[in-house]
Amino acid sequence: QVQVVESGGGLVQPGGSLRLSCAASGRGFSINTMGWYRQAPGKQRELVATITSGGRTNYADSVKGRFTISRDNAKNTVYLQMNSLKPEDTAVYYCNVDPYVGPLYWGQGTQVTVSS
């Protein structure tokens, strides 16, 4: 079993920045891809960014140039640095952990609100 815990959400003004963190813990697992997804009210969950164990990244077009995903493999932790935030970035952000063996795991979500 893998536990996934996110942190770092909150309220920020448009143009501001936030950094999300997600730590995965458990026994006997090795992680392939880690990523961030988000779900705004009334909308489906969508991909924000992913990063492989080798450091290859993938971003949604809507966040390219503003968000940066990074990872500490030794700590099984993934980060999402969000800059130039817009009101449309408001959503619950979920961390996703994809081990080499076994099912996907999701965190409980952290709220990000961009508002003046």
Side-chain angles (χ1 to χ4, degrees):
Q1 189 73 11
V2 176
Q3 291 77 46
V4 180
V5 178
E6 303 112 332
S7 61
L11 172 64
V12 63
Q13 292 186 342
S17 299
L18 279 177
R19 187 189 194 215
L20 305 183
S21 300
C22 168
S25 62
R27 286 189 173 185
F29 72 100
S30 181
I31 301 173
N32 181 11
T33 301
M34 302 181 81
W36 290 95
Y37 291 71
R38 67 186 181 187
Q39 188 166 16
K43 295 187 176 181
Q44 292 196 349
R45 191 173 298 188
E46 63 177 6
L47 178 145
V48 176
T50 60
I51 184 167
T52 68
S53 58
R56 186 169 65 235
T57 58
N58 180 47
Y59 293 92
D61 288 342
S62 59
V63 307
K64 283 181 181 176
R66 301 188 297 123
F67 291 10
T68 302
I69 190 169
S70 61
R71 176 173 172 171
D72 185 335
N73 289 330
K75 295 181 179 180
N76 286 332
T77 300
V78 64
Y79 307 95
L80 185 68
Q81 178 66 44
M82 305 185 292
N83 299 328
S84 301
L85 282 160
K86 304 175 181 180
E88 51 264 42
D89 294 318
T90 295
V92 178
Y93 283 70
Y94 296 92
C95 178
N96 173 270
V97 174
D98 184 10
Y100 283 103
V101 178
L104 296 175
Y105 292 91
W106 292 91
Q108 79 286 354
T110 184
Q111 177 70 46
V112 172
T113 302
V114 184
S115 175
S116 55

